[in-house]
Amino acid sequence: MVRPLFRTRIKFCGLTRAGDVRLAGELGVDAIGLIFARRSPRRIAPQEARALRDAMAPLVDVVALFMDNDADEVREAIAHARPTLLQFHGSEDDAFCRKFGLPYLKGIGLRGADASLSGRMLHARWPHAAGFVLDGHAVGEAGGSGQRVDIAAIPPDMSKPYVLAGGLNPDNAFAAVRAAAPWGVDVSSGIELEPGIKDGALMRRFVEEVRRADCVELGEDNDLKECYACGR
């Protein structure tokens, strides 16, 4: 029996080179993340975003990522990057996230999260979020650290789309998608040679593994949650 058609969306985050952006588009990636968070080693200046934006393929979303940037910094980045979606990973509240007139995703670190964390709580706190990015870092830490997200910590009552992030790479993408069935996956360090410098072969393999997970037959993945958790 084949599971119902469901295409997992793919976001490559933290790109800094136009060539990597072009390759991502050729591989069929759904979104490219440009990071403006001050603490990120993949941070780019707003002026640098113009060249990357110009390298984008048609029908690929541009996501501008922030972490506790002030409103003027966000506006400047938007002016240069012309994103279609914003992503916030700091202490931003719903009023701040929605004030820029673009849909947004809210990043949530699940490591060490309170056991009472629920989708209902997240939806109530950020009611206008288009969705959530569930990451492996702890609350208050920067994303993109490569810390593997605990799938068991994902609130079971998530009613909005969520994107799985944290510790993903071509070797575990298949198991992660099958175990969590996320709306999308977000990868950065798992396809890199060094921060901000992507590896073309890893980019291609990651896409292939996610697409393979989308097509697997039911009944073949009973142990995938355990495999992902232990790193096999």
Side-chain angles (χ1 to χ4, degrees), residues 6 34 128:
F6 182 89
L34 304 180
H128 295 92

Side-chain angles (χ1 to χ4, degrees), residues 59-78:
L59 304 182
V60 177
D61 279 324
V62 180
V63 183
L65 189 150
F66 306 95
M67 183 174 180
D68 294 322
N69 298 74
D70 63 40
D72 288 340
E73 289 176 320
V74 175
R75 291 191 183 97
E76 183 183 12
I78 290 173

